[in-house]
Amino acid sequence: MQNELIARTAAYVKEKFENEYSGHDWFHTLRVFRTATRIAEAEGADVETVQLAALLHDVDDRKLSPETYADKANARSFLFANNVDESRIDEICRIIGEISFAENCVPSTLEGKCVQDADRLDAIGAVGIARAFAYGGNHNRLMYHPDIAPNPNMSREEYVKSNSTTVNHFHEKLFKLTDMMNTDTAKAIAKERDAYMKVFIAEFLDEWEGKK
Ligand code: ADP
Ligand code: NI
């Protein structure tokens, strides 16, 4: 990590997520940081803005920190204490607000698009498969149930309330993410990861049926 502000931000997030195992742990943030940096460099975005937003993207998450979700108080006070300009703080907090999948919104800046793409990429591919099953285990979900069909067209309320299986989650969310990528760089990465997940699910079902 090339500059001091980035290093300090990383240390802040690492400490904050020390006891977090929900799938939004420090290593999720670190992967998003690395992927977002790669996308930002390829797309010609402002790398430092992307890196700060990537590092701080979950510190005011709706689930992890509902009391600061609306005003992004954690990110804001950290950046303020580290002498970041107010307009820059606003820009970073706007990116963080725009990137959540559930909000289904397209970020208004190239930097926001890079961070949203990196966050979504972390839900697919080999890491995405592992995160999905870890999440399912954490929430007492079945891996798979042959009689529970996926519902890929759920409304937001249905999606939030849904208690579906983890294999269904691939159809309900993960296989949709590739088409939702904003940047060409992320689309290319997503295509490879998506193909890998499809092979995995096909193999899983073949084994389940005793075919392999
Ligand atoms: P984010 O906050 O990054 O948009 P979520 O909190 O929705 O993501 O999900 C975090 C991780 O848990 C992702 O990898 C996602 O695929 C996985 N996950 C979320 N919901 C489910 C689910 N119903 N079944 C399996 N995995 C899930
Ligand atoms: Ni995230």
Side-chain angles (χ1 to χ4, degrees):
M1 287 176 199
Q2 62 285 59
N3 79 42
E4 209 192 306
L5 176 60
I6 298 292
R8 244 182 291 149
T9 310
Y12 163 73
V13 179
K14 192 173 175 189
E15 199 198 316
K16 197 162 182 53
F17 287 166
E18 204 157 23
N19 298 309
E20 186 58 56
Y21 301 102
S22 67
H24 289 95
D25 51 79
W26 157 244
F27 290 109
H28 162 67
T29 291
L30 183 58
R31 291 189 302 268
V32 172
F33 170 84
R34 288 175 175 154
T35 306
T37 301
R38 181 175 157 200
I39 299 169
E41 283 168 353
E43 297 286 329
D46 184 273
V47 173
E48 196 188 61
T49 300
V50 166
Q51 290 183 325
L52 288 171
L55 287 171
L56 293 167
H57 86 275
D58 270 342
V59 301
D60 295 295
D61 181 78
R62 194 203 308 267
K63 281 164 271 178
L64 302 182
S65 184
E67 66 289 354
T68 66
Y69 170 69
D71 58 3
K72 310 285 173 255
N74 289 333
R76 213 167 263 289
S77 54
F78 171 83
L79 292 167
F80 184 77
N82 282 278
N83 306 314
V84 176
D85 287 353
E86 215 165 299
S87 64
R88 192 104 193 276
I89 297 179
D90 288 341
E91 188 187 358
I92 291 163
C93 290
R94 172 151 33 89
I95 294 175
I96 297 170
E98 285 175 344
I99 65 165
S100 153
F101 167 86
E103 303 297 347
N104 222 343
C105 88
V106 179
S108 51
T109 60
L110 175 60
E111 286 70 26
K113 289 175 180 164
C114 295
V115 181
Q116 186 182 63
D117 283 354
D119 194 31
R120 287 173 170 170
L121 280 170
D122 203 53
I124 63 177
V127 167
I129 293 169
R131 285 181 83 202
F133 286 99
Y135 180 103
N138 236 333
H139 290 76
N140 297 322
R141 307 247 172 120
L142 279 177
M143 292 194 293
Y144 174 61
H145 193 303
D147 300 335
I148 304 176
N151 179 2
N153 301 312
M154 277 186 280
S155 68
R156 169 146 165 70
E157 283 78 51
E158 286 173 316
Y159 176 80
V160 171
K161 272 193 279 167
S162 159
N163 207 6
S164 196
T165 68
T166 300
V167 166
N168 282 353
H169 184 64
F170 286 76
H171 299 283
E172 289 160 355
K173 178 170 171 183
L174 306 184
F175 290 141
K176 294 180 183 173
L177 293 178
T178 298
D179 282 342
M180 293 170 69
M181 295 297 157
N182 303 293
T183 65
D184 289 343
T185 307
K187 268 178 211 157
I189 302 170
K191 268 195 184 150
E192 278 189 36
R193 295 190 185 193
D194 191 68
Y196 184 82
M197 287 196 299
K198 290 195 166 123
V199 169
F200 170 83
I201 290 293
E203 176 81 18
F204 181 100
L205 295 175
D206 279 350
E207 290 181 13
W208 189 281
E209 306 277 344
K211 291 182 187 160
K212 272 202 169 173

mmCIF file of all heavy atoms in Angstrom, residues 24 61 63 101 119 123 131-132 135 141 159 166 169 173-174, ligand 1:
data_model
loop_
_atom_site.group_PDB
_atom_site.id
_atom_site.type_symbol
_atom_site.label_atom_id
_atom_site.label_comp_id
_atom_site.label_asym_id
_atom_site.label_seq_id
_atom_site.Cartn_x
_atom_site.Cartn_y
_atom_site.Cartn_z
ATOM 1 N N HIS A 24 -18.052 -10.386 5.718
ATOM 2 C CA HIS A 24 -17.598 -9.013 5.524
ATOM 3 C C HIS A 24 -16.399 -8.758 6.408
ATOM 4 O O HIS A 24 -16.247 -7.700 6.990
ATOM 5 C CB HIS A 24 -18.702 -8.019 5.859
ATOM 6 C CG HIS A 24 -19.793 -8.032 4.865
ATOM 7 N ND1 HIS A 24 -20.928 -8.762 5.024
ATOM 8 C CD2 HIS A 24 -19.895 -7.431 3.671
ATOM 9 C CE1 HIS A 24 -21.693 -8.594 3.967
ATOM 10 N NE2 HIS A 24 -21.090 -7.804 3.133
ATOM 11 N N ASP A 61 -21.812 -0.502 6.946
ATOM 12 C CA ASP A 61 -22.752 -1.421 6.287
ATOM 13 C C ASP A 61 -24.076 -1.495 7.049
ATOM 14 O O ASP A 61 -24.097 -1.473 8.282
ATOM 15 C CB ASP A 61 -22.099 -2.811 6.212
ATOM 16 C CG ASP A 61 -22.984 -3.830 5.524
ATOM 17 O OD1 ASP A 61 -23.041 -3.801 4.291
ATOM 18 O OD2 ASP A 61 -23.633 -4.640 6.220
ATOM 19 N N LYS A 63 -25.984 -3.959 7.647
ATOM 20 C CA LYS A 63 -26.115 -5.071 8.592
ATOM 21 C C LYS A 63 -25.101 -4.992 9.731
ATOM 22 O O LYS A 63 -25.392 -5.339 10.862
ATOM 23 C CB LYS A 63 -25.940 -6.402 7.839
ATOM 24 C CG LYS A 63 -27.180 -6.816 7.079
ATOM 25 C CD LYS A 63 -26.884 -7.896 6.053
ATOM 26 C CE LYS A 63 -26.493 -7.297 4.717
ATOM 27 N NZ LYS A 63 -26.152 -8.253 3.685
ATOM 28 N N PHE A 101 -25.656 -3.747 -3.488
ATOM 29 C CA PHE A 101 -26.476 -4.479 -4.487
ATOM 30 C C PHE A 101 -27.954 -4.227 -4.281
ATOM 31 O O PHE A 101 -28.706 -3.979 -5.211
ATOM 32 C CB PHE A 101 -26.202 -5.984 -4.408
ATOM 33 C CG PHE A 101 -27.200 -6.828 -5.158
ATOM 34 C CD1 PHE A 101 -27.055 -7.088 -6.512
ATOM 35 C CD2 PHE A 101 -28.297 -7.374 -4.506
ATOM 36 C CE1 PHE A 101 -27.980 -7.877 -7.199
ATOM 37 C CE2 PHE A 101 -29.235 -8.153 -5.183
ATOM 38 C CZ PHE A 101 -29.067 -8.401 -6.531
ATOM 39 N N ASP A 119 -16.605 -5.118 -5.470
ATOM 40 C CA ASP A 119 -17.401 -5.720 -4.389
ATOM 41 C C ASP A 119 -18.239 -6.869 -4.943
ATOM 42 O O ASP A 119 -18.337 -7.943 -4.343
ATOM 43 C CB ASP A 119 -18.296 -4.642 -3.773
ATOM 44 C CG ASP A 119 -18.910 -5.075 -2.440
ATOM 45 O OD1 ASP A 119 -18.274 -5.849 -1.706
ATOM 46 O OD2 ASP A 119 -20.035 -4.614 -2.143
ATOM 47 N N ALA A 123 -18.210 -11.672 -4.808
ATOM 48 C CA ALA A 123 -19.308 -12.612 -4.534
ATOM 49 C C ALA A 123 -19.340 -13.745 -5.559
ATOM 50 O O ALA A 123 -20.145 -14.665 -5.432
ATOM 51 C CB ALA A 123 -20.646 -11.863 -4.540
ATOM 52 N N ARG A 131 -17.787 -18.107 -0.098
ATOM 53 C CA ARG A 131 -18.537 -17.162 0.731
ATOM 54 C C ARG A 131 -20.008 -17.554 0.810
ATOM 55 O O ARG A 131 -20.634 -17.440 1.867
ATOM 56 C CB ARG A 131 -18.445 -15.743 0.159
ATOM 57 C CG ARG A 131 -17.115 -15.077 0.396
ATOM 58 C CD ARG A 131 -17.133 -13.675 -0.179
ATOM 59 N NE ARG A 131 -17.730 -12.699 0.723
ATOM 60 C CZ ARG A 131 -18.248 -11.546 0.325
ATOM 61 N NH1 ARG A 131 -18.277 -11.228 -0.958
ATOM 62 N NH2 ARG A 131 -18.762 -10.712 1.210
ATOM 63 N N ALA A 132 -20.558 -18.002 -0.309
ATOM 64 C CA ALA A 132 -21.979 -18.367 -0.316
ATOM 65 C C ALA A 132 -22.242 -19.527 0.654
ATOM 66 O O ALA A 132 -23.198 -19.482 1.444
ATOM 67 C CB ALA A 132 -22.433 -18.732 -1.727
ATOM 68 N N TYR A 135 -21.838 -18.378 4.243
ATOM 69 C CA TYR A 135 -23.022 -17.602 4.628
ATOM 70 C C TYR A 135 -24.188 -18.551 4.930
ATOM 71 O O TYR A 135 -24.874 -18.414 5.946
ATOM 72 C CB TYR A 135 -23.389 -16.644 3.497
ATOM 73 C CG TYR A 135 -24.594 -15.777 3.770
ATOM 74 C CD1 TYR A 135 -24.448 -14.433 4.121
ATOM 75 C CD2 TYR A 135 -25.889 -16.291 3.666
ATOM 76 C CE1 TYR A 135 -25.557 -13.637 4.366
ATOM 77 C CE2 TYR A 135 -27.005 -15.498 3.912
ATOM 78 C CZ TYR A 135 -26.835 -14.177 4.261
ATOM 79 O OH TYR A 135 -27.934 -13.397 4.505
ATOM 80 N N ARG A 141 -28.864 -22.523 6.603
ATOM 81 C CA ARG A 141 -29.560 -22.850 5.354
ATOM 82 C C ARG A 141 -29.083 -24.205 4.836
ATOM 83 O O ARG A 141 -27.912 -24.552 4.981
ATOM 84 C CB ARG A 141 -29.222 -21.817 4.276
ATOM 85 C CG ARG A 141 -29.463 -20.388 4.735
ATOM 86 C CD ARG A 141 -30.581 -19.789 3.955
ATOM 87 N NE ARG A 141 -30.944 -18.501 4.520
ATOM 88 C CZ ARG A 141 -30.889 -17.372 3.859
ATOM 89 N NH1 ARG A 141 -30.488 -17.362 2.614
ATOM 90 N NH2 ARG A 141 -31.263 -16.254 4.418
ATOM 91 N N TYR A 159 -36.614 -10.982 -1.502
ATOM 92 C CA TYR A 159 -35.202 -11.348 -1.442
ATOM 93 C C TYR A 159 -34.683 -11.240 -0.007
ATOM 94 O O TYR A 159 -34.007 -12.136 0.497
ATOM 95 C CB TYR A 159 -34.371 -10.461 -2.374
ATOM 96 C CG TYR A 159 -32.884 -10.737 -2.279
ATOM 97 C CD1 TYR A 159 -32.309 -11.817 -2.946
ATOM 98 C CD2 TYR A 159 -32.053 -9.929 -1.503
ATOM 99 C CE1 TYR A 159 -30.957 -12.085 -2.841
ATOM 100 C CE2 TYR A 159 -30.700 -10.190 -1.399
ATOM 101 C CZ TYR A 159 -30.147 -11.261 -2.067
ATOM 102 O OH TYR A 159 -28.807 -11.525 -1.958
ATOM 103 N N THR A 166 -28.609 -22.482 -0.489
ATOM 104 C CA THR A 166 -27.428 -21.796 -1.017
ATOM 105 C C THR A 166 -27.293 -22.006 -2.530
ATOM 106 O O THR A 166 -26.939 -21.074 -3.251
ATOM 107 C CB THR A 166 -26.171 -22.248 -0.255
ATOM 108 O OG1 THR A 166 -26.354 -21.915 1.121
ATOM 109 C CG2 THR A 166 -24.922 -21.555 -0.774
ATOM 110 N N HIS A 169 -29.250 -19.547 -4.223
ATOM 111 C CA HIS A 169 -28.656 -18.198 -4.194
ATOM 112 C C HIS A 169 -27.839 -17.909 -5.468
ATOM 113 O O HIS A 169 -27.768 -16.767 -5.918
ATOM 114 C CB HIS A 169 -27.781 -18.055 -2.953
ATOM 115 C CG HIS A 169 -27.188 -16.691 -2.772
ATOM 116 N ND1 HIS A 169 -27.939 -15.561 -2.559
ATOM 117 C CD2 HIS A 169 -25.893 -16.259 -2.799
ATOM 118 C CE1 HIS A 169 -27.140 -14.502 -2.449
ATOM 119 N NE2 HIS A 169 -25.898 -14.902 -2.594
ATOM 120 N N LYS A 173 -29.031 -14.661 -7.275
ATOM 121 C CA LYS A 173 -28.162 -13.485 -7.243
ATOM 122 C C LYS A 173 -26.862 -13.660 -8.033
ATOM 123 O O LYS A 173 -26.558 -12.857 -8.918
ATOM 124 C CB LYS A 173 -27.835 -13.115 -5.790
ATOM 125 C CG LYS A 173 -26.897 -11.917 -5.683
ATOM 126 C CD LYS A 173 -26.764 -11.384 -4.270
ATOM 127 C CE LYS A 173 -25.661 -10.345 -4.163
ATOM 128 N NZ LYS A 173 -25.460 -9.873 -2.791
ATOM 129 N N LEU A 174 -26.105 -14.699 -7.724
ATOM 130 C CA LEU A 174 -24.719 -14.734 -8.208
ATOM 131 C C LEU A 174 -24.597 -14.805 -9.737
ATOM 132 O O LEU A 174 -23.728 -14.141 -10.309
ATOM 133 C CB LEU A 174 -23.951 -15.874 -7.531
ATOM 134 C CG LEU A 174 -24.001 -15.841 -5.983
ATOM 135 C CD1 LEU A 174 -23.138 -16.949 -5.397
ATOM 136 C CD2 LEU A 174 -23.569 -14.483 -5.437
HETATM 137 P P1 ADP B 1 -22.832 -7.379 0.063
HETATM 138 O O1 ADP B 1 -23.117 -6.685 1.351
HETATM 139 O O2 ADP B 1 -21.346 -7.481 -0.255
HETATM 140 O O3 ADP B 1 -23.635 -6.895 -1.098
HETATM 141 P P2 ADP B 1 -24.243 -9.659 1.103
HETATM 142 O O4 ADP B 1 -24.247 -9.256 2.518
HETATM 143 O O5 ADP B 1 -25.541 -9.741 0.387
HETATM 144 O O6 ADP B 1 -23.219 -8.870 0.213
HETATM 145 O O7 ADP B 1 -23.520 -11.036 0.984
HETATM 146 C C1 ADP B 1 -22.250 -11.306 1.504
HETATM 147 C C2 ADP B 1 -21.802 -12.634 0.977
HETATM 148 O O8 ADP B 1 -22.720 -13.631 1.420
HETATM 149 C C3 ADP B 1 -21.800 -12.708 -0.555
HETATM 150 O O9 ADP B 1 -20.720 -13.479 -1.010
HETATM 151 C C4 ADP B 1 -23.121 -13.345 -0.870
HETATM 152 O O10 ADP B 1 -23.121 -14.099 -2.068
HETATM 153 C C5 ADP B 1 -23.324 -14.246 0.307
HETATM 154 N N1 ADP B 1 -24.767 -14.381 0.543
HETATM 155 C C6 ADP B 1 -25.672 -13.408 0.767
HETATM 156 N N2 ADP B 1 -26.916 -13.911 0.858
HETATM 157 C C7 ADP B 1 -26.777 -15.239 0.691
HETATM 158 C C8 ADP B 1 -27.674 -16.333 0.664
HETATM 159 N N3 ADP B 1 -28.980 -16.167 0.826
HETATM 160 N N4 ADP B 1 -27.174 -17.568 0.462
HETATM 161 C C9 ADP B 1 -25.853 -17.760 0.279
HETATM 162 N N5 ADP B 1 -24.948 -16.779 0.284
HETATM 163 C C10 ADP B 1 -25.394 -15.539 0.486
#
